[in-house]
Amino acid sequence: MPLPRQVFIAVIGAGGVGKAFLAQLSHLASNLSRSPGAPTYLSLILLSTSKKSVYHSDYKSLSNWEAELQNSTTPPLPLPQLADYLVKAPGKVVLVDNTSNQDVADSYPPFLKKGISIVTPNKKAFSSTYQLWTDIFSGAANGTGTGGYVFHESSVGAGLPVISTLKDLVETGDDVRKIEGVFSGTMSFLFNSFQPVSGGGGKFSAEVKTAKEKGFTEPDPRDDLNGLDVARKLTILARLVGLKIESPTSFPVQSLIPKELESCSSGDEFLSRLPEFDNEMEELKADAEKEGKVVRFVGSVDVPKGEVKVGLEKFDKSHPIAALKGSDNIIAFYTKRYGDNPLIIQGAGAGGEVTAMGVTSDLIKVVRLLQ
Ligand SMILES: NC(=O)C1=CN([C@@H]2O[C@H](COP(=O)(O)OP(=O)(O)OC[C@H]3O[C@@H](n4cnc5c(N)ncnc54)[C@H](OP(=O)(O)O)[C@@H]3O)[C@@H](O)[C@H]2O)C=CC1
Ligand SMILES: N[C@@H](CC=O)C(=O)O
Ligand code: NA
């Protein structure tokens, strides 16, 4: 009879994605413990937000994380102490980073080198400097190192299998020539609702508020509207096909933040002043309408030219990009093997549940690799 195995899970971030992940984790934990062969027990040993955390010095499982976190008065562990706590756990550890925090992202290399695996939807680690990208994958067991494993499917297209598909294309020897599409759930929702192909549509500023309420935006929606979120995703995809993109600001990125609002000190101030600029967006819409087109926010990577770009473009109403619904992303891979008919991935590209699905399925991959 094979011995049961225990894998310890530490979670940072319990917002829209974090909470959905924790719900999926309890489902996964009971499935894995019933699976044939050596049963695996997933044990949640730490949960942290930016203000508080919950964990036990004897690595006892958090059996009721919601109440334990709510009642906690313990501040989060600084990252070096967090690494020390995790490295002394009596078994393999997976850190799940459900924040969008740069400091947490910067700490992946030392965590990985200590044998701690990481799964995350946080784009910051993979789209900041090229040096950080190299440090991460040179330490990871699924890179060129011997440390923990790192998976980040939900950093592009939320739960859609974008990263795994691109890796499969590259690793099986296909020649990826171009990647293009709609890479932001927020931008997709905004333009699909502000200028639907059927006509009409809401005020741009009102749609931004709705996108935030639906959990599609980054914690600060300016990070979506300035184009940087899409630029980060394209940086990740371009690096996966071998382009040495230095940063998400090293290529042209169109921002939708009005000049006058660039100095807003908070996301709330920005949102409250955005209606002042609805007329400018209406003009953009009317301009496209005159040509029988709609405006959409898109991005592309031209691999042979090494060019990446992000911004607004006009599309015929019959174009698949124009016809997207809700927060859908559409990502087309043009490759040698697929010829003129690209491999296309389409579906919800934002939202807590679908993003957490990508994180949870990455966790399953890591747990299997740790066997
Ligand atoms: N929402 C979506 O549709 C998608 C999100 N993502 C990515 O998923 C991640 C999470 O997004 P989402 O859940 O929407 O964001 P939220 O703002 O809802 O949640 C973020 C969580 O992270 C916590 N946090 C922030 N900084 C720290 C820190 N230094 N230490 C510990 N905890 C911290 C916050 O704590 P507190 O509550 O105290 O502020 C909060 O619990 C982001 O990286 C985002 O880009 C990726 C794809 C889609
Ligand atoms: N804010 C992002 C969330 C997913 O990456 C988006 O809108 O796509
Ligand atoms: Na994805």
Side-chain angles (χ1 to χ4, degrees):
M1 172 84 177
L3 288 174
R5 293 175 323 111
Q6 197 164 21
V7 176
F8 295 96
I9 314 292
V11 178
I12 326 184
V17 177
K19 285 202 175 85
F21 167 78
L22 287 159
Q24 292 178 20
L25 178 65
S26 50
H27 182 75
L28 175 65
S30 55
N31 276 351
L32 283 178
S33 64
R34 281 200 303 269
S35 63
T40 302
Y41 293 94
L42 299 183
S43 190
L44 179 66
I45 52 164
L46 178 137
L47 177 58
S48 172
T49 64
S50 68
K51 297 169 201 81
K52 45 187 172 176
S53 68
V54 49
Y55 59 94
H56 302 289
S57 53
D58 60 357
Y59 300 95
K60 189 163 75 81
S61 275
L62 308 178
S63 47
N64 185 358
W65 64 265
E66 211 149 13
E68 286 181 76
L69 186 66
Q70 202 176 350
N71 299 330
S72 168
T73 52
T74 310
L77 279 171
L79 292 163
Q81 276 101 303
L82 173 64
D84 285 347
Y85 171 72
L86 297 182
V87 93
K88 288 179 191 144
K92 302 280 188 191
V93 176
V94 184
L95 174 67
V96 184
D97 171 18
N98 286 321
T99 76
S100 61
N101 187 276
Q102 183 72 55
D103 294 337
V104 177
D106 289 342
S107 71
Y108 292 179
F111 276 83
L112 289 164
K113 283 195 182 114
K114 287 177 197 295
I116 297 162
S117 295
I118 294 172
V119 301
T120 184
N122 185 352
K123 291 146 229 161
K124 300 263 166 80
F126 312 98
S127 60
S128 298
T129 63
Y130 194 75
Q131 186 60 51
L132 181 57
W133 169 271
T134 308
D135 289 348
I136 289 171
F137 290 103
S138 62
N142 53 329
T144 53
T146 53
Y149 294 92
V150 59
F151 284 89
H152 56 105
E153 179 58 80
S154 282
S155 64
V156 182
L160 297 176
V162 178
I163 289 181
S164 54
T165 302
L166 181 55
K167 279 188 181 165
D168 287 348
L169 289 168
V170 172
E171 285 169 8
T172 58
D174 203 351
D175 180 9
V176 180
R177 290 162 178 175
K178 189 168 182 182
I179 307 169
E180 67 180 8
V182 171
F183 296 85
S184 161
T186 297
M187 292 294 203
S188 184
F189 176 81
L190 293 180
F191 285 93
N192 300 340
S193 337
F194 158 76
Q195 193 179 21
V197 279
S198 53
K203 291 237 181 304
F204 192 76
S205 60
E207 301 301 348
V208 174
K209 281 191 184 154
T210 309
K212 181 165 169 55
E213 281 156 18
K214 285 180 175 284
F216 299 156
T217 67
E218 292 305 291
D220 183 337
R222 288 176 295 180
D223 291 338
D224 294 287
L225 289 174
N226 65 10
L228 197 55
D229 177 77
V230 175
R232 287 188 179 283
K233 291 167 179 164
L234 288 170
T235 299
I236 296 172
L237 298 182
R239 286 175 177 175
L240 286 170
V241 292
L243 298 181
K244 288 193 173 160
I245 302 294
E246 185 44 45
S247 82
T249 53
S250 60
F251 50 85
V253 178
Q254 184 177 0
S255 169
L256 302 187
I257 309 263
K259 276 262 169 294
E260 296 83 340
L261 299 190
E262 276 173 3
S263 56
C264 283
S265 55
S266 69
D268 286 344
E269 184 196 345
F270 169 77
L271 285 177
S272 71
R273 291 194 50 200
L274 195 57
E276 295 166 30
F277 299 89
D278 277 336
N279 283 344
E280 285 180 19
M281 294 306 288
E282 288 299 327
E283 278 169 29
L284 199 73
K285 178 168 158 176
D287 197 42
E289 195 63 51
K290 271 188 223 146
E291 297 175 38
K293 293 185 175 181
V294 293
V295 186
R296 297 292 186 259
F297 198 87
V298 295
S300 63
V301 182
D302 182 322
V303 183
K305 288 189 182 152
E307 283 174 7
V308 187
K309 60 179 183 181
V310 171
L312 289 172
E313 279 181 33
K314 290 179 217 162
F315 291 89
D316 286 331
K317 291 181 179 175
S318 58
H319 194 285
I321 285 184
L324 290 180
K325 299 271 186 306
S327 69
D328 278 9
N329 284 185
I330 183 166
I331 291 134
F333 293 109
Y334 290 85
T335 77
K336 184 174 181 204
R337 225 177 255 154
Y338 279 83
D340 292 337
N341 298 333
L343 187 167
I344 294 176
I345 297 172
Q346 180 177 344
E353 286 293 339
V354 293
T355 307
M357 188 270 277
V359 181
T360 311
S361 57
D362 276 349
L363 176 62
I364 295 173
K365 288 184 188 131
V366 172
V367 168
R368 290 199 176 124
L369 285 165
L370 291 174
Q371 278 179 344

